Amino acid sequence: MVPEVICPNCDRRAKMDKTLTAQSNQNLIFHCPYCQYRSRNIHTSKG
């Protein structure tokens, strides 16, 4: 079972593997497939 992520813009849920992209510098890119909202350079606890 793949976890779901809630879009901060439209509040719709989408599977994590369809919305999050990991970068080599340990940051994440979020892209909502519904409203096209995009957030870059999301810092993780390791980055």
Side-chain angles (χ1 to χ4, degrees):
M1 185 170 155
V2 178
E4 293 184 327
V5 178
I6 300 172
C7 176
N9 188 55
C10 69
D11 292 327
R12 292 182 73 176
R13 294 175 182 259
K15 296 200 182 298
M16 185 181 290
D17 62 346
K18 303 294 183 198
T19 58
L20 293 175
T21 304
Q23 296 180 306
S24 61
N25 61 357
Q26 296 180 340
N27 288 332
L28 293 174
I29 298 173
F30 172 82
H31 178 250
C32 178
Y34 302 109
C35 71
Q36 305 306 312
Y37 173 80
R38 188 177 301 263
S39 180
R40 295 179 177 270
N41 298 323
I42 301 169
H43 294 281
T44 64
S45 62
K46 294 196 173 215

